[in-house]
Amino acid sequence: MQRCISAEWLKLRHSHIWLIMTALPAISVLIGSANYYMNQGVLHNGWYSLWTQASLFYGEFFLPVLIAICCAYVCRLEHLNKNWNMIMTAPVRIAYLFLAKLIVVAALVFLVQLFFALLYYGAGKLFGLTGAFPAETFGWIARGWLASVTISAVQLWLSLVIRSFAVPIGISICAALIGLGMYVAKLGMLFPHSLLTIGMGAISQDRLTQADTILFLTMNTLFLAAVSLIAVRRLKKKDVSA
């Protein structure tokens, strides 16, 4: 397992994925900050108002797209030059191949979450926001990361099945829109992308109740386990398209 993870990191060493990982959160905060600046007349809740503006673009659109790009990229090499044939005959468990990619993407998204939090803090200081930095931010970042791992499993499954680099990203954009609709319809706990909206507090910063938190963790666990099992089973039972 460790060798699989090391191999995945090795493939990213000279890639340009880091540019995307920094650019998308930065663009999100810039757009959110511009909206906050232009609407300060009606946004009077300081740090929380800034969070709604920045996290809305980030959590609803940019982060799902970034996850899809990362997942498509870590599967890109396998789809080139018939590399799947070599990988599938290697003395490595199929489950390890999928889990190694998932762990690497989860680590990348964790770094992105930290970077977004730093940008949010910096933007607040530039605006001269008073009051204590909201402690809820750490919960939003952590829950957003957990939901991101769930979405990563879905996107990895798609990227393993679909050879195209762009198609899984397009599906992610559509899923983000569906997730927003599910959230508005009060069915957010039933769709991975809606879980990201809930976890990040992108629309509502109301504190989750204990029951809601347990349900949030349970649904993420179920989605993550189910999608991972489906992806691994497909790799075991179906011939790869090399």
Side-chain angles (χ1 to χ4, degrees):
M1 183 65 177
Q2 186 175 356
R3 290 167 57 190
C4 292
I5 296 174
S6 298
E8 293 298 330
W9 281 118
L10 189 62
K11 290 189 292 185
L12 296 174
R13 179 179 297 178
H14 299 295
S15 71
H16 299 293
I17 194 72
W18 310 104
L19 296 176
I20 299 173
M21 290 172 56
T22 54
L24 292 185
I27 294 172
S28 303
V29 173
L30 285 174
I31 296 175
S33 297
N35 277 354
Y36 176 80
Y37 179 78
M38 292 185 292
N39 295 280
Q40 290 184 79
V42 295
L43 298 174
H44 304 292
N45 207 12
W47 287 102
Y48 295 93
S49 294
L50 179 60
W51 178 265
T52 60
Q53 301 304 304
S55 65
L56 179 62
F57 291 95
Y58 173 72
E60 289 300 322
F61 302 105
F62 288 99
L63 183 55
V65 170
L66 190 149
I67 293 170
I69 292 173
C70 288
C71 291
Y73 195 90
V74 298
C75 296
R76 177 174 175 270
L77 186 60
E78 280 78 358
H79 289 307
L80 296 177
N81 301 322
K82 300 184 178 181
N83 285 330
W84 269 123
N85 292 333
M86 179 180 64
I87 291 173
M88 296 300 288
T89 56
V92 177
R93 292 185 178 181
I94 300 299
Y96 287 176
L97 297 175
F98 179 83
L99 290 177
K101 292 180 182 297
L102 182 60
I103 290 172
V104 168
V105 173
L108 294 177
V109 175
F110 181 74
L111 294 176
V112 171
Q113 286 287 86
L114 293 180
F115 183 58
F116 175 77
L118 289 174
L119 291 174
Y120 164 65
Y121 177 78
K125 287 300 181 181
L126 285 176
F127 284 120
L129 296 182
T130 58
F133 184 76
E136 294 92 335
T137 303
F138 302 103
W140 295 329
I141 292 296
R143 289 193 298 269
W145 176 75
L146 178 59
S148 296
V149 176
T150 302
I151 295 174
S152 298
V154 176
Q155 288 299 139
L156 269 179
W157 173 35
L158 293 173
S159 294
L160 289 170
V161 173
I162 303 171
R163 296 188 64 187
S164 169
F165 187 91
V167 170
I169 298 173
I171 293 175
S172 179
I173 296 173
C174 295
L177 296 175
I178 294 173
L180 182 58
M182 295 281 283
Y183 177 85
V184 173
K186 308 296 183 183
L187 298 173
M189 292 291 183
L190 302 178
F191 196 71
H193 290 70
S194 303
L195 290 173
L196 180 59
T197 303
I198 295 171
M200 288 288 294
I203 297 178
S204 173
Q205 287 77 53
D206 293 339
R207 185 171 297 180
L208 296 181
T209 65
Q210 184 176 8
D212 287 337
T213 301
I214 293 174
L215 181 59
F216 176 82
L217 296 174
T218 301
M219 294 307 296
N220 273 287
T221 302
L222 290 176
F223 276 123
L224 182 59
V227 174
S228 298
L229 287 173
I230 292 172
V232 171
R233 180 176 176 81
R234 189 187 190 283
L235 286 175
K236 288 181 178 180
K237 301 295 184 180
K238 298 287 186 179
D239 290 334
V240 296
S241 178

